[in-house]
Amino acid sequence: MSEQYNDNAVADQYDLSFQLVPFRLHIEAHTVLKTLGDISGKSLIDLATGTGFYARLAKKRGASRVVGVDIANDMVQIGRMAEQAEPLGIEYHTQDVMQFQVDESFDIALAVYLLHYAPTKEALSTMCHAIANMLKRGGRFITYIANPDMARQSDYYKRHGIGNVMNPTPSDGEMFTFTATMGEMTTPPFTAYRWEKASVEHALTQAGFTHINWVTPTLSTDGEQQYGADYFADYLRQPHAVLIECVKQ
């Protein structure tokens, strides 16, 4: 797991990115929430929770229990401060997802930007097994992951605050770097890994997941009305990340 987000400046800007970078709210969050659907009365564990943005949304949408886990303590501390300011009953833990032990199984595991930090197939497999162990039989796993078909041009996502550096020729598990620009701030480069669909599906299947469905992100009606469809057209044609939903056997 990566500790690259353990930086005060990045943590401070993370929630703001949903206002400063329109695709995060109108494409990413829109697609996540649409895929989650009705979660009333369901328990949810939010892995790579960051500052708890999705954990808070899940609780407000009726989840019975929400637990957030992230290795970056600076991020988690902001989530805890948000919980103090607006108590929702969310539990936060600073720990590596692969080492986290749950006290009871969950109905849903959510992981926005997690699997593409696995540097090897073995790490990817271990991560998927760890997540499966957190879920009830029939529980759902929903995750946002680097798109196996993401654009390789370094300026392709510039309008949307993302700068990526990739090799000209694709390879399974290749390392790439990216930066995120939020308002006036641009992060240092983060390191991630691009996995082919077959490798991701193999790791999920071996961990006991079935009904693996790749979901192409879509634009919210509010986003289209506010910015116009053309603003997001290139991004939606080749999004930098896509969503997967699957079910534990």
Side-chain angles (χ1 to χ4, degrees), residues 11-75:
D12 287 343
Q13 293 294 313
Y14 192 80
D15 276 3
L16 281 177
S17 70
F18 287 91
Q19 282 73 50
L20 299 173
V21 185
F23 89 86
R24 293 216 66 193
L25 184 62
H26 296 295
I27 295 177
E28 175 196 310
H30 168 70
T31 304
V32 168
L33 294 177
K34 183 170 69 172
T35 305
L36 277 172
D38 183 6
I39 58 173
S40 299
K42 303 291 186 181
S43 57
L44 181 145
I45 186 163
D46 184 23
L47 305 168
T49 189
T51 56
F53 177 83
Y54 286 108
R56 291 190 292 277
L57 283 182
K59 203 70 172 70
K60 290 177 180 180
R61 288 168 69 91
S64 59
R65 183 189 181 196
V66 176
V67 175
V69 183
D70 202 294
I71 198 171
N73 189 56
D74 286 346
M75 291 280 197

Side-chain angles (χ1 to χ4, degrees), residues 114-140:
L114 172 65
L115 296 185
H116 54 234
Y117 291 114
T120 64
K121 285 187 177 181
E122 292 74 18
L124 183 62
S125 177
T126 299
M127 198 178 287
C128 291
H129 274 89
I131 294 165
N133 288 336
M134 300 177 189
L135 286 169
K136 298 175 182 177
R137 185 183 298 272
R140 291 194 297 153

Side-chain angles (χ1 to χ4, degrees), residues 2-3 5-7 50 70-77 94-95:
S2 170
E3 295 188 51
Y5 291 87
N6 226 349
D7 179 284
D70 202 294
I71 198 171
N73 189 56
D74 286 346
M75 291 280 197
V76 172
Q77 290 303 320
T94 302
Q95 196 166 356

Side-chain angles (χ1 to χ4, degrees), residues 117-205:
Y117 291 114
T120 64
K121 285 187 177 181
E122 292 74 18
L124 183 62
S125 177
T126 299
M127 198 178 287
C128 291
H129 274 89
I131 294 165
N133 288 336
M134 300 177 189
L135 286 169
K136 298 175 182 177
R137 185 183 298 272
R140 291 194 297 153
F141 175 40
I142 296 170
T143 186
Y144 236 87
I145 184 174
N147 185 1
D149 299 317
M150 73 169 66
R152 294 186 166 266
Q153 306 96 300
S154 59
D155 62 348
Y156 188 87
Y157 304 108
K158 183 177 180 180
R159 169 187 285 186
H160 304 288
I162 302 168
N164 59 311
V165 178
M166 308 186 76
N167 294 324
T169 305
S171 61
D172 193 24
E174 65 185 296
M175 183 180 75
F176 68 95
T177 61
F178 68 94
T179 58
T181 299
M182 299 168 279
E184 299 298 318
M185 177 194 141
T186 298
T187 66
F190 297 114
T191 299
Y193 302 85
R194 188 201 67 88
W195 292 102
E196 297 285 356
K197 282 188 176 182
S199 294
V200 177
E201 290 182 0
H202 178 75
L204 289 169
T205 301

